[in-house]
Amino acid sequence: MVALQEGRIWIDGCFDFAHHGHAGAMMQAREKGDELFVGVHNDTDILVNKGPPVMTLAERMVAVEGCRWCTTAVANAPYVTDPLVMDEYGCKYVVHGDDITTDKDGKDCYAEVKAKGRFIVVKRTPNISTTDLVGRMLVHTTEHHLARVDGQQWAQWQRVSAADAAQAGGKTLLTPENVERYRRYATAADARSAGAAVWVYTEAGVHELVKGQASARTKPVYYVDGGFDLFNPGHITFLKRVRELADADGSLVVVGVADDAAVNSARGGSYPVMNLLERSLCVLQSKYIDGLVLGAPRAVDTPFLTLFKRGTGLSVHRVVHGPTTPLQADDYDDARATGLLLEVTTGLDLYASMTVESIVERVVANRAAFEERQRRKGVKAETEKSLENQEEAVRAGAAA
Ligand code: CTP
């Protein structure tokens, strides 16, 4: 056994999909210490306690390992948190979001660690969960899509007040709450200092939203773009490969994420499953990138590269594309003609052919099992809510 260390934090969960709720929990956990061990449950335990996972253990491990705040990912962590397993890794505390998670018998998975004073609670990220995403795949909806940020919206953000944002409702990307989220998700591996940079593209320019280490550098850029919907091992292994190529060439990696309308017009139906806020936060938590462009234009052409240089001070040295179909057939014509295009099709291992459609297909092909998962989750949520109320009453009693 390793000696318990104050700064070594444990977090565990299913981490089914690399969504920004999971990343937010890892980021807040990392803020509590210096090292973060992430325990990932196996497929059988999830099936027994909650219903079928969409992504396999190996795929969920790729997602967790790709998160900037994770130091070590641990496969097969027990569904009910076991202090002996935390001891094995020298982790004194476990972090969990401020919801109660129960096992198949309706018991709080963290009861034992809570009783031992080894539990730290962080804020759960609102409006995102695996259950929500599975729900969107079962009931085709575009309700979650956000409006494109244009020059007028950018100008408005410069003067925005919390009251304006509240009035704009949930369809606007640039609200004080979302921008604060971008700032926190851009932090470096220590979850404190500045890390990645975030820019917003409008037809008038590329504007800095979050200052990152890249903003102060003069290195050339490997620029990648796409929809990055349901951020998955296909995207993650591709970005990892781009990182290796960029490092070998002394370059930065900047990722352009297309807006919801652009993805929808290319992919149709209710795509994207995740909106621009959700897709971009998934990209931003990736340990393989240095910067992000929100609402990047469809074509990576010379006018865009000129705006990019003017707005960021950085020059694009390579436009990189992976093995999947671009949003539109002619997206890279300019980059090809100017000799900037680099097509990466090797070194992507198992996940080269994974796409958002192939993941949605898993859910649709097993509709009955996933509908049952959703129903069970709804029933569990009621038990969990009543446990939360009991805990709240005990806390209020202790405070009185
Ligand atoms: N988490 C969070 N915010 C969310 C979702 C999850 O902070 N919106 C946290 C959980 O509290 C937990 C960790 O992420 O600490 C892993 O969560 P997981 O076990 O994968 O559960 P959920 O994403 O909540 O999945 P589901 O919707 O299926 O319950």
Side-chain angles (χ1 to χ4, degrees), residues 16 34 132 181 190 265 267 292 310 350:
D16 199 9
D34 324 307
D132 270 4
R181 231 177 255 297
D190 61 5
S265 82
R267 301 273 187 252
L292 179 80
R310 198 177 301 147
L350 290 175

Side-chain angles (χ1 to χ4, degrees), residues 254-269:
V254 175
V255 183
V257 185
D259 64 44
D260 293 343
V263 178
N264 185 257
S265 82
R267 301 273 187 252

Side-chain angles (χ1 to χ4, degrees), residues 376-397:
R376 234 178 118 186
K377 179 74 191 165
V379 174
K380 273 185 97 180
E382 285 171 30
T383 319
E384 289 163 356
K385 190 78 220 150
S386 84
L387 286 174
E388 276 164 33
N389 291 342
Q390 281 169 30
E391 264 193 6
E392 189 52 46
V394 171
R395 262 198 303 272

Side-chain angles (χ1 to χ4, degrees), residues 3-329:
L4 289 190
Q5 294 175 38
E6 279 290 323
R8 190 176 278 188
I9 306 293
W10 176 265
I11 187 168
D12 51 20
C14 308
F15 300 97
D16 199 9
F17 298 132
H19 68 59
H20 72 282
H22 296 149
M26 289 189 265
M27 179 249 294
Q28 294 178 80
R30 183 67 188 260
E31 276 178 334
K32 305 284 177 200
D34 324 307
E35 285 177 284
L36 180 62
F37 283 63
V38 186
V40 184
H41 310 318
N42 66 37
D43 300 345
T44 314
D45 287 353
I46 299 176
L47 181 65
V48 170
N49 286 283
K50 186 169 183 173
V54 181
M55 309 301 282
T56 66
L57 175 62
E59 292 162 353
R60 292 181 286 107
M61 286 290 287
V62 170
V64 166
E65 279 164 351
C67 173
R68 206 159 45 243
W69 305 292
C70 165
T71 332
T72 305
V74 179
N76 296 303
Y79 201 86
V80 173
T81 305
D82 183 349
L84 293 175
V85 174
M86 289 165 59
D87 292 350
E88 228 177 274
Y89 292 94
C91 299
K92 184 158 178 192
Y93 298 106
V94 56
V95 162
H96 186 73
D98 55 359
D99 56 322
I100 285 191
T101 304
T102 55
D103 66 5
K104 60 178 186 330
D105 306 317
K107 301 234 175 64
D108 182 350
C109 294
Y110 295 89
E112 191 178 350
V113 281
K114 282 180 184 171
K116 289 190 149 70
R118 294 176 66 178
F119 182 80
I120 300 177
V121 70
V122 295
K123 218 170 156 24
R124 195 178 154 90
T125 307
N127 310 322
I128 186 76
S129 68
T130 304
T131 307
D132 270 4
L133 294 170
V134 170
R136 287 182 204 172
M137 291 178 219
L138 290 170
V139 184
H140 299 284
T141 169
T142 53
E143 272 295 291
H144 55 284
H145 291 183
L146 297 171
R148 196 173 82 80
V149 178
D150 54 14
Q152 201 186 350
Q153 271 201 40
W154 174 256
Q156 216 169 0
W157 158 248
Q158 307 289 289
R159 314 182 291 265
V160 83
S161 69
D164 292 340
Q167 211 180 16
K171 294 282 177 194
T172 312
L173 181 69
L174 297 180
T175 64
E177 197 192 357
N178 289 349
V179 173
E180 175 58 11
R181 231 177 255 297
Y182 281 117
R183 190 195 62 73
R184 295 186 77 194
Y185 279 69
T187 53
D190 61 5
R192 296 170 183 94
S193 45
V198 182
W199 296 278
V200 176
Y201 167 79
T202 69
E203 54 293 331
V206 174
H207 318 273
E208 186 178 75
L209 190 68
V210 179
K211 201 180 248 329
Q213 289 175 16
S215 317
R217 301 230 183 113
T218 49
K219 287 185 178 180
V221 165
Y222 273 46
Y223 182 80
V224 182
D225 69 342
F228 296 92
D229 195 12
L230 278 182
F231 197 64
N232 62 60
H235 302 124
I236 299 165
T237 47
F238 170 63
L239 289 179
K240 187 175 179 188
R241 182 76 190 121
V242 176
R243 170 87 271 157
E244 287 164 5
L245 295 167
D247 279 347
D249 200 16
S251 299
L252 301 170
V253 176
V254 175
V255 183
V257 185
D259 64 44
D260 293 343
V263 178
N264 185 257
S265 82
R267 301 273 187 252
S270 53
Y271 288 110
V273 177
M274 287 176 160
N275 66 32
L276 177 58
L277 174 74
E278 297 163 340
R279 291 180 287 111
S280 58
L281 289 173
C282 286
V283 173
L284 191 54
Q285 57 84 50
S286 166
K287 61 157 73 140
Y288 306 118
I289 73 151
D290 300 296
L292 179 80
V293 179
L294 287 170
R298 222 200 69 200
V300 192
D301 52 15
T302 309
F304 168 67
L305 295 181
T306 309
L307 284 183
F308 182 85
K309 169 100 200 232
R310 198 177 301 147
T312 66
L314 300 167
S315 293
V316 173
H317 183 64
R318 285 272 180 263
V319 174
V320 193
H321 185 68
T324 52
T325 334
L327 287 179
Q328 303 288 339

